[in-house]
Amino acid sequence: MLELILPATVAVITGGGVLFTRIHNRIHDLDRRVDQVELRMAESYVNKEDFNGALTRMESHMIRIEEKLDQIANRKCN
């Protein structure tokens, strides 16, 4: 009877260890991939102040272009 129980117990423990190792490796790989995504997001992140500054500069350039176009249009109409 002991000859049947001992190998079955060893097989169950070994199988559990293999499953635990595979699950641990998958969780580790997933954690590494999430870290890489977080790093890519942090590298390409623009803070609000920088974005607002760039938008303000763009708007001021557009206003200058509009004023120049208005002056050209007014010269041709007169």
Side-chain angles (χ1 to χ4, degrees):
M1 182 75 172
L2 184 62
E3 297 87 18
L4 296 176
I5 295 174
L6 188 61
T9 306
V10 170
V12 168
I13 291 173
T14 304
V18 169
L19 287 176
F20 179 77
T21 302
R22 290 186 71 186
I23 290 172
H24 179 269
N25 288 340
R26 286 209 169 181
I27 291 172
H28 180 69
D29 290 341
L30 183 62
D31 189 39
R32 190 170 31 87
R33 289 173 56 194
V34 168
D35 288 343
Q36 289 174 352
V37 169
E38 288 176 351
L39 179 62
R40 276 189 251 139
M41 287 176 62
E43 288 174 347
S44 63
Y45 174 76
V46 177
N47 63 21
K48 192 173 183 178
E49 293 84 22
D50 291 343
F51 178 73
N52 285 335
L55 189 59
T56 302
R57 286 194 312 270
M58 178 73 85
E59 287 174 350
S60 67
H61 287 297
M62 294 300 290
I63 289 171
R64 286 182 26 213
I65 291 170
E66 287 175 357
E67 290 172 353
K68 289 178 182 179
L69 288 174
D70 288 341
Q71 290 174 359
I72 292 171
N74 286 336
R75 278 190 228 149
K76 290 189 179 191
C77 290
N78 293 330

